[in-house]
Amino acid sequence: MHKPIVAANWKMNLTKKSAEDLIAKLNKFVYEDVEVIIMPPFTLLDMAASIADNRIKLGAQNCYYKKNGAFTGEISPDMLVDIGCKYVIVGHSERRHIFGETNDLLRKKLAASKQAGLIPVYCIGETLDEKRKGEKESVLSEQLNIIDNLSMPLIVAYEPVWAIGTGVAAEVVTIRETIKLIRQKLREKRVKAPVLYGGSVKPDNAKEIASETLIDGALVGGSGLNADSFLQIIDIFKEVRKC
Ligand code: PEP
């Protein structure tokens, strides 16, 4: 079994000072046996790259698919590699649903990330409405179809949209069944990728989630902004997966 992955998506939060304080606390932790990733906003990546312990990996929250050029406000995968990123989130539900990013656009972002040598954390998940209409499987299938023929290192994060930022995570039985389905689809595509769960992971529910070995780790939002809660989640994955 590979190391569990615990990633923190900071979203549009923190200033230079508060991020420095958070990283200083994270640097004191012993990071063996867990792949820990922090994903600060673009403005904090350079600082994070220079002060974070090198066992903490750096990821960005988004990228554009062009290498360079007249694309005001965008950041290319090459720029992220240049600044020290190993990972990039592609297809976070906030990008899909607030900024209207389509599977077509995300396919281009995945391909561009591959070319630059970044590992995408590719987020998929159904909305509450899609869940209620019984469309979860078809939504996930469509979202996964864009990885056909890409053959690249990839992490998939199952993040039901209705569980993100709500404080209410999906039940472990639901996560297990959905990840089984995702793994089956990945096998059909001959893609090998760890599958994380994201959506209101907190110290309170991390043990239950980490105990389900089909889940390869967690993508954390709110709990990743606080050193104590993020370190508790990492520690829980470390301890549970040791046995
Ligand atoms: C996320 O935004 O990817 C996320 C999982 O957020 P939260 O943990 O706050 O639900």
Side-chain angles (χ1 to χ4, degrees):
M1 209 196 321
H2 46 72
K3 290 202 260 189
I5 299 162
V6 181
N9 170 14
W10 292 4
K11 310 194 189 193
M12 196 176 73
N13 289 299
L14 303 187
T15 57
K16 196 159 170 252
K17 175 75 178 75
S18 54
E20 280 170 352
D21 291 347
L22 173 55
I23 293 172
K25 289 183 189 154
L26 300 183
N27 279 347
K28 294 189 186 134
F29 194 73
V30 181
Y31 285 100
E32 65 205 17
D33 305 328
V34 183
E35 175 83 348
V36 174
I37 309 169
I38 55 169
M39 294 158 145
F42 291 133
T43 51
L44 299 173
L45 284 171
D46 196 28
M47 177 279 291
S50 65
I51 70 163
D53 185 296
N54 58 17
R55 288 165 302 176
I56 302 174
K57 302 295 184 290
L58 199 60
Q61 299 171 20
N62 184 27
C63 64
Y64 196 49
Y65 66 89
K66 295 283 191 181
K67 267 183 161 324
N68 58 273
F71 302 102
T72 302
E74 294 296 331
I75 303 280
S76 76
D78 286 341
M79 290 168 168
L80 297 176
V81 171
D82 185 47
I83 215 164
C85 288
K86 179 173 176 188
Y87 297 97
V88 62
I89 297 177
V90 174
H92 190 277
S93 70
E94 286 146 21
R95 300 297 319 171
R96 290 178 189 269
H97 300 294
I98 301 175
F99 299 99
E101 295 197 357
T102 60
N103 284 328
D104 252 5
L105 174 67
L106 298 174
R107 186 199 307 270
K108 292 178 185 157
K109 291 191 177 196
L110 288 174
S113 304
K114 174 187 174 184
Q115 228 186 3
L118 285 170
I119 301 177
V121 177
Y122 179 50
C123 298
I124 60 173
E126 79 287 1
T127 62
L128 188 57
D129 192 40
E130 289 161 344
K131 175 169 115 103
R132 284 188 178 138
K133 290 184 187 150
E135 294 171 354
K136 175 165 95 175
E137 183 167 350
S138 62
V139 168
L140 295 178
S141 276
E142 262 180 55
Q143 293 173 336
L144 283 171
N145 279 344
I146 71 165
I147 64 174
D148 278 350
N149 307 318
L150 274 175
S151 79
M152 63 190 295
L154 178 77
I155 296 171
V156 173
Y158 170 54
E159 298 208 304
V161 181
W162 45 270
I164 295 179
T166 59
V168 183
E171 287 182 15
V172 171
V173 57
T174 307
I175 304 172
R176 182 193 309 131
E177 290 315 306
T178 312
I179 289 188
K180 271 192 198 159
L181 188 77
I182 293 168
R183 286 195 192 288
Q184 186 198 321
K185 294 192 185 297
L186 291 175
R187 265 196 306 277
E188 286 162 14
K189 297 176 188 310
R190 299 184 201 293
V191 172
K192 273 196 179 158
V195 184
L196 314 183
Y197 167 74
S200 298
V201 178
K202 312 174 261 197
D204 288 358
N205 57 23
K207 187 158 184 203
E208 204 190 347
I209 291 168
S211 302
E212 173 49 66
T213 51
L214 268 186
I215 306 172
D216 292 311
L219 178 54
V220 175
S223 298
L225 292 170
N226 175 283
D228 290 338
S229 57
F230 188 50
L231 291 173
Q232 276 182 58
I233 294 169
I234 297 167
D235 215 18
I236 289 168
F237 269 89
K238 187 166 137 184
E239 288 311 309
V240 170
R241 295 303 169 98
K242 227 185 239 171
C243 345

